[in-house]
Amino acid sequence: MTKRLRSGFIVIASALLLLLGISTSEEARGQACVDCICPGLDVGTGWFDIAVNLDPDGGGETDFTAGLLGTIESLGAGAPNIGGIDWLYNDKLFLSTTLLGTQLITWWSQADDRNTYIQVTNTTGFCSAMGVFTGQQCLTAGECGAGEVCAGVNLEVKILGENCLELTNFCDPYTSHDTHVYNLGDLVDNNGIARNDSVLQGHEGVFVVTPVDNCANEEAISWNYLDGNLRLIDEGNDIDYGTNIYTREAVFFDTVGGPPCPAGTTLGDPPSAACSLVLVDPSQLKQNFSEVGVASAADLVVISFNDVYGPPYAIAPGVTQFFADDFCDNAEICNSCPPYIACFERKGLDNEIPISEDFAPPTPTPSPTPPPTTPPPTTPPPTASPTPAPGGGGGGCSLVGSTVQLGTAMANILIPLVPAFAIGYRVIRRRGRKEGK
């Protein structure tokens, strides 16, 4: 009997220790992100250095390679998200996003609730006689000589998809000091003509603007007076990216220092042609990042293509290898990440900052709806109790209709067991003493 009682209470004690010492929940282990440059890492603040191999297949180096980093952060449940985007640092060339240039390049996206707006501005005009520029800048024809006009420029707009092949293109004349915004959700050119935007929806890629001599021949020419900017609204993540467009100058390659070419100069492949678009051929792309919110995501975009001067001017996909050989946290602990080859690609960074489609900000917890108030039942008046006889019937004190509760369901389970365990333990001790005697 003694052994059976002792075993029973040992079982109760073991159950209590198991309930108190082992959590019934286990933190889920996140899987490595798929669309990231560094899957499996968890770095929220740090920097990366992407090594660029412009000729991984031996077919020749690409003419233009650059990248952007956009980041999204949540400031908490119910708080607004914040977003920003900028170009990656380039180790070979000054980052041309604040200078006027001949060619304009940017990322665009109409995928996953995004809509892109691109503003293009022609900042000048030139006096022209019979289609030949005189070199005199102008705003109106009144500033030019007799028989001359104040001419603008024809811009070839090419919109490339994820594989860097054209989805659509058109030639768009700009007058002196002209500007236009291309809404890729409702594409209308500078003359008010609707263009084929249906082929863009659900896609993304590279947007390129290049000056040409006319809309029939489309031979690329220099016109170092263009600038533009990007606005990309991501309604799904409630953020708005904005940045300047990358500009490429047209320069002379046969002169040290590469001075800009005059407006209207025909462009061709260097070094055979005197004037060409400047080569953007970095060996490294770099950027830093910092997570300050409670949830983050990123859009790391790389772009790589070749110029086909023609005429007509065209763009061929680049074949470039990108390799994050240094992906470091703020303590300078660095890792290398898998290389990949792309002419265009958009990825996240790591598990902590995945691609923007996987952005998961916390959602506000709805306030619980209080239960309806039930009016108290009508009770009959209390019946008077007879007065007890003096000297007898010493009454006790009892808790009737009360419930003892603690903060958790676990505590409510343990309350009725604790007294039983204590009483049983005393019985074990008492009987143990008797047996010991």
Side-chain angles (χ1 to χ4, degrees):
M1 182 65 180
T2 301
K3 291 182 179 179
R4 187 177 302 169
L5 183 63
R6 182 177 301 173
S7 298
F9 284 109
I10 289 174
V11 170
I12 294 174
S14 300
L16 289 172
L17 292 173
L18 183 65
L19 290 170
L20 290 171
I22 300 178
S23 172
T24 58
S25 63
E26 180 180 358
E27 182 178 357
R29 294 179 178 269
Q31 296 182 350
C33 58
V34 177
D35 296 318
C36 295
I37 61 169
C38 291
L41 295 183
D42 295 279
V43 178
T45 298
W47 57 274
F48 58 79
D49 181 348
I50 298 177
V52 179
N53 182 358
L54 298 172
D55 187 19
D57 63 351
E61 295 188 352
T62 55
D63 296 331
F64 177 87
T65 300
L68 304 97
L69 177 63
T71 57
I72 306 171
E73 296 186 70
S74 169
L75 299 181
N81 300 328
I82 56 175
I85 191 170
D86 204 353
W87 292 88
L88 304 183
Y89 298 111
N90 181 330
D91 70 327
K92 285 289 189 69
L93 189 71
F94 182 77
L95 191 59
S96 301
T97 61
T98 59
L99 301 177
L100 298 179
T102 287
Q103 189 178 68
L104 306 179
I105 304 135
T106 188
W107 166 47
W108 68 272
S109 182
Q110 294 293 117
D112 296 307
D113 296 321
R114 297 182 180 90
N115 199 77
T116 303
Y117 300 85
I118 297 171
Q119 178 171 315
V120 173
T121 300
N122 171 35
T123 63
T124 194
F126 279 88
C127 295
S128 172
M130 303 295 294
V132 178
F133 296 120
T134 65
Q136 172 66 41
Q137 287 184 259
C138 59
L139 177 60
T140 66
E143 299 173 343
C144 301
E148 296 180 347
V149 297
C150 182
V153 64
N154 301 302
L155 301 181
E156 174 66 13
V157 177
K158 295 185 181 296
I159 305 177
L160 316 177
E162 294 90 342
N163 56 4
C164 302
L165 299 179
E166 283 188 14
L167 292 175
T168 190
N169 72 88
F170 52 91
C171 187
D172 214 359
Y174 275 61
T175 60
S176 174
H177 295 80
D178 200 356
T179 189
H180 180 67
V181 176
Y182 296 99
N183 174 4
L184 301 195
D186 183 15
L187 186 57
V188 177
D189 68 18
N190 192 36
N191 289 324
I193 301 172
R195 296 295 179 170
N196 184 16
D197 57 57
S198 62
V199 298
L200 308 179
Q201 308 318 310
H203 295 283
E204 62 182 340
V206 187
F207 187 99
V208 183
V209 173
T210 310
V212 293
D213 57 349
N214 58 65
C215 290
N217 190 47
E218 294 186 347
E219 185 172 42
I221 62 171
S222 63
W223 192 276
N224 291 315
Y225 301 96
L226 301 180
D227 70 0
N229 54 67
L230 165 73
R231 183 182 183 192
L232 198 156
I233 298 174
D234 185 344
E235 293 185 0
N237 289 321
D238 194 26
I239 61 99
D240 190 339
Y241 284 151
T243 187
N244 291 336
I245 291 177
Y246 204 108
T247 60
R248 291 174 76 188
E249 280 191 295
V251 298
F252 285 107
F253 275 80
D254 58 354
T255 305
V256 177
C261 303
T265 306
T266 300
L267 303 182
D269 281 307
S272 58
C275 193
S276 299
L277 291 168
V278 67
L279 296 176
V280 182
D281 54 352
S283 62
Q284 292 178 331
L285 297 173
K286 304 180 180 184
Q287 191 55 272
N288 55 284
F289 57 93
S290 179
E291 182 183 39
V292 297
V294 296
S296 300
D299 292 301
L300 176 62
V301 176
V302 292
I303 298 169
S304 186
F305 63 80
N306 283 297
D307 302 297
V308 180
Y309 285 99
Y313 176 81
I315 291 174
V319 180
T320 300
Q321 182 188 63
F322 301 92
F323 174 41
D325 54 351
D326 280 325
F327 191 88
C328 308
D329 63 16
N330 55 356
E332 297 295 323
I333 298 174
C334 300
N335 291 274
S336 294
C337 308
Y340 59 98
I341 293 177
C343 67
F344 169 85
E345 191 71 72
R346 180 171 60 86
K347 290 178 175 286
L349 296 184
D350 60 5
N351 289 356
E352 191 72 18
I353 310 179
I355 195 168
S356 59
E357 280 82 353
D358 295 335
F359 181 51
T363 56
T365 303
S367 301
T369 303
T373 303
T374 304
T378 304
T379 56
T383 304
S385 301
T387 303
C397 184
S398 64
L399 294 175
V400 180
S402 299
T403 303
V404 179
Q405 291 188 348
L406 297 183
T408 65
M410 177 73 72
N412 294 333
I413 293 172
L414 296 182
I415 285 173
L417 297 180
V418 172
F421 178 75
I423 294 169
Y425 182 63
R426 285 198 296 270
V427 172
I428 292 171
R429 291 189 61 196
R430 190 179 299 118
R431 294 195 178 188
R433 289 177 181 173
K434 288 182 180 180
E435 291 174 357
K437 292 180 179 179

